[in-house]
């Protein structure tokens, strides 16, 4: 359907080499976009590129640094000649009680989850503005909405991602750039496999606490990525969409 057609578009997906990022990248590739996968792990990058096809390429970069974020946009322009869609998905977590985090760990998490999104969006803005528009999709979390006792810096970073989305959306609406956020519920990825080891009872709590009665899968995020990357969402900006099996809808 032409409203969702991404043919000829170039989509950068940070953290697109696995988990949720790869689920979103699959949707974008199916929609016709050429995907630029960004991650630090060369082997994972190669695996994702091989799977995605459609002229997909990988860029090895740490998007928590200004130089890394800038290199992503530069490389996408050099290799693909345009940048239409930016998915700020790269992120990580360290789970412990708030009082046990070092300042270094706090800064590491804020940089990986929040500063990375700001730096990539900032780097992409000039290119998108010059082209007359673009789509930026940030990845928040249920912790953008709710507290988690074992994830204070993560929650602070993800609350920040949701707020950053609104500010960028307002600032760049006149440039034809839509900025939206996706709030995944509990999704089965490497990140949450580790969480299941770290947090006792987590698996049962997720299944019981999610109205859909299951963990989400990376491909559950494919469709929302296509919607927010396509002309179908041209009047949608500054919003955050839960993709959570109903988790955020309940009291
Ligand atoms: P994964 O650990 O499976 O994937 C994280 C991805 O981010 C990897 O591709 C990793 O690649 C990349 N990455 C991490 N740090 C950097 C960095 N500094 N520079 C470049 N790439 C980086 O986790 P998920 O798929 O679960 O998480 C993806 C996003 O979704 C994160 O933002 C996470 O917070 C969010 N999220 C996840 C939920 C879940 O239940 N799984 C729920 C809500 C939100 P590499 O190691 O190669 O650098």
């Amino acid at each position: 359907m032409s409203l969702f057609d991404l043919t000829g578009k170039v989509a950068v997906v940070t953290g697109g080499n696995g988990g949720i990022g790869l689920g979103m990248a699959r949707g974008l590739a199916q929609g016709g976009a050429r995907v630029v996968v960004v991650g630090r792990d060369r082997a994972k990058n190669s695996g994702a590129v091989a799977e995605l096809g459609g002229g997909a390429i990988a860029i090895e970069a740490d998007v928590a640094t200004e130089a890394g974020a800038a290199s992503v946009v530069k490389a996408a322009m050099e290799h693909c000649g345009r940048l239409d869609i930016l998915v700020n998905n790269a992120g990580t977590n360290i789970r412990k009680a708030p009082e046990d985090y070092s300042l270094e760990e706090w800064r590491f998490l804020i940089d990986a989850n929040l500063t990375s999104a700001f730096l990539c969006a900032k780097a992409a803005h000039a290119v998108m503005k010059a082209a007359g528009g673009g789509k930026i999709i940030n990845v928040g979390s249920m912790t953008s909405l709710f507290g988690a006792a074992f994830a204070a810096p993560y929650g602070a970073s993800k609350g920040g991602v949701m707020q950053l989305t609104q500010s960028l959306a307002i600032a760049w609406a006149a440039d034809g750039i839509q900025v939206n956020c996706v709030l995944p519920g509990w999704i089965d990825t490497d990140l949450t496999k580790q969480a299941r080891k770290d947090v006792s009872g987590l698996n049962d709590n997720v299944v019981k606490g999610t109205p859909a009665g299951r963990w989400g899968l990376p491909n559950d995020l494919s469709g929302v990525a296509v919607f927010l990357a396509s002309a179908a969402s041209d009047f949608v900006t500054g919003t955050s969409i839960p993709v959570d099996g109903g988790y955020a809808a309940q009291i």
Side-chain angles (χ1 to χ4, degrees), residues 15-21 38-41 44 61-64 89-92 139-141 154 158 184-187 189-192:
N17 65 20
I20 288 173
V38 181
R40 297 159 302 173
D41 185 312
K44 285 198 298 178
D62 179 351
V63 291
N89 161 79
T92 191
V139 176
S141 157
Y154 181 85
K158 292 298 187 177
W186 287 98
I187 313 295
T189 67
D190 287 349
L191 188 68
T192 47

Side-chain angles (χ1 to χ4, degrees), residues 2 11 32 34 42 79 96 112 124 137 147-148 153 156 161 163 187 190 192 215 227 242:
S2 61
R34 182 176 184 189
R42 190 172 296 175
H79 291 285
K96 53 173 75 171
I137 304 169
V161 166
Q163 175 54 40
I187 313 295
D190 287 349
T192 47
W215 285 76
F227 171 61

